[in-house]
Each structure stands twice: as structure tokens, then as C-alpha cells.
Amino acid sequence: DIQMTQSPSSLSVSVGDRVTITCRASQSISTYLNWYQQKPGKAPKLLIYAASSLQSGVPSRFSGSGFGTDFTLTITGLQPEDFATYYCQRSSGSPHTYSSPHTFGQGTNVEIK
Amino acid sequence: QVQLVESGGGVVQPGRSLRLSCAASGITLSNYAMNWVRQAPGKGLEWVAVISYDGSNKYYADSVKGRFTISRDNSKNTLYLHMNSLRHEDTAVYYCARLNQGLLLPALDYWGQGTLVTVSS
């Protein structure tokens, strides 16, 4: 199975900072990569799908990039409401939707410095 | 608006069974594949299972394969997770989530609020 590895596991930043989180797949997944934000006690929220497409309603300070095995989530100008945990996920399109796991990375906790 | 509401969580002894439900409103569930995702206390997200829009295809994480069964009743607009032979390590908040295959590539775009399952003697 394909493994997803995020780095760093946590980082301390200030409002206004540029934040970069990376996600590495153990083998190529093309652009089958999604990013989610989760705040304490809340369900995850989809931010980015297909590696770089911004989900409707998500602020444009969030962006994603990458292809193959290496992916990046960037927050340009961190806002107070962005302190949260971020997860990457390998998605599986047809014909693999029902034949491979949709694995999450271990998460990156973005904390206030 | 779209709402997914999980229920059925609670405290259960190791080895016993439990059935979770996920009731949908604001969407026709039969148009979408659905997933279960769980999160152990203080831990990250773990994908659990996926089921196709009509229930004909399913896939499970290795950690639950053979013990958990995902199913759906489209006439009731409801998703289920049948959990057997529960273990301490199954303790988690369980989320249902819609798989939107109409995006450029599939992603989980709507999530329920989660239901807590605690496996304890």
C-alpha cells in the first residue's frame, strides 16, 4: 500500500507568516492528493483537491502544488483562524476507488508562536 | 443545505458489536459514494472504508477488514458501519463523509460531526 508522510509534524508560526507543509507519497499518485483542515472538536474540512484545485469557499491564501510523490500546501499570510491541524490524503479515482486505501498523512499541527 | 448526522456510538465491551448510522439530508445519498473515517483520541485521521453509490463495491482498511462492514440503504438516505469483534484500538470518533467524484478528482467534501465509540471493559 502507498504510504503518505507529512512534514513537519508541527510548527509554530505568527499571524502573517507564510506556511509550507509537505506531503510525500511512497510511490507516484499523479495528482490524486487532497488537503484538509481540522480544528479541535470539529470535523475536517476540504481545502484543496487534485493537488492544486481550491475547494469552493476556501480563501485564496491557501494553495497546493505537486505531482507524483511530492506535494505542498502553502498558506500565504496566515490568519488567526488558520491555526489548526492539516492533513493530506491520497484519493483514489476510478478504477482504484474500491481497490486501494485512501490513506491520510499523519497531520501537521500549526500552532501560534 | 447538506447535512450528515452520525449516531449509534457509545461504550461497548471488547469483542462485542455496534452499528453506526449516518443520516443524510439536503442531498440524495444514492448519487454518491460514501466513506467512514475515524480518529482515535489525540491522534490523526484514519480512513476506514468506502462504498459505491449503489452498494455494489466496497473497500476496507486492513485494520478493520473482516470485522467491519459498510452498507447503505438508499431508500432511507442512510449509511451504516457494522462493527464486530471490537478492540480497544477501535476507540475513536467515527465520521461519515461524502466522496465527491464530480470534482476534477475525488475528494471528501462533506463530513458529519462524528460519533464517539469507546471500547472498554
Side-chain angles (χ1 to χ4, degrees):
Chain A
D1 290 343
I2 296 175
Q3 306 302 315
M4 307 301 295
T5 304
Q6 282 181 241
S7 61
S9 56
S10 66
L11 67 162
S12 295
V13 296
S14 301
V15 172
D17 283 355
R18 176 186 174 97
V19 173
T20 300
I21 299 168
T22 63
C23 179
R24 175 164 288 175
S26 59
Q27 56 186 276
S28 177
I29 57 171
S30 182
T31 55
Y32 285 86
L33 193 284
N34 304 321
W35 289 98
Y36 301 86
Q37 175 195 67
Q38 187 182 33
K39 297 180 180 179
K42 300 295 187 181
K45 172 187 174 182
L46 176 65
L47 297 177
I48 302 284
Y49 60 92
S52 61
S53 295
L54 193 67
Q55 171 66 346
S56 176
V58 174
S60 58
R61 62 181 179 271
F62 292 92
S63 63
S65 64
F67 179 88
T69 60
D70 295 304
F71 301 89
T72 300
L73 173 70
T74 301
I75 311 172
T76 303
L78 194 79
Q79 296 300 299
E81 60 267 30
D82 301 335
F83 291 98
T85 301
Y86 294 85
Y87 295 92
C88 64
Q89 184 209 20
R90 175 228 176 173
S91 76
S92 294
S94 179
H96 304 294
T97 305
Y98 310 105
S99 60
S100 58
H102 306 201
T103 311
F104 286 92
Q106 78 275 22
T108 296
N109 185 28
V110 176
E111 304 173 319
I112 302 172
K113 184 182 289 184
Chain B
Q1 78 273 23
V2 176
Q3 267 201 310
L4 299 172
V5 179
E6 302 93 337
S7 61
V11 180
V12 60
Q13 292 179 329
R16 304 297 290 263
S17 300
L18 202 62
R19 187 186 78 167
L20 305 183
S21 299
C22 169
S25 59
I27 57 166
T28 302
L29 214 58
S30 59
N31 291 338
Y32 299 96
M34 295 294 294
N35 288 247
W36 286 98
V37 175
R38 69 183 181 182
Q39 186 169 38
K43 302 297 184 182
L45 301 173
E46 180 186 13
W47 176 82
V48 173
V50 61
I51 186 169
S52 61
Y53 72 99
D54 62 356
S56 63
N57 291 288
K58 306 172 185 180
Y59 196 75
Y60 301 90
D62 285 346
S63 58
V64 306
K65 202 171 293 183
R67 300 187 300 121
F68 289 13
T69 300
I70 188 171
S71 65
R72 63 194 301 157
D73 186 338
N74 287 337
S75 68
K76 296 182 178 179
N77 227 27
T78 301
L79 174 73
Y80 301 102
L81 186 66
H82 305 257
M83 304 185 294
N84 297 325
S85 304
L86 282 161
R87 305 168 179 168
H88 291 289
E89 55 265 36
D90 296 319
T91 295
V93 173
Y94 285 74
Y95 297 98
C96 62
R98 181 179 89 168
L99 183 66
N100 190 340
Q101 295 168 296
L103 299 173
L104 184 59
L105 291 175
L108 301 175
D109 66 345
Y110 281 100
W111 296 64
Q113 85 290 347
T115 187
L116 176 62
V117 173
T118 303
V119 183
S120 173
S121 52

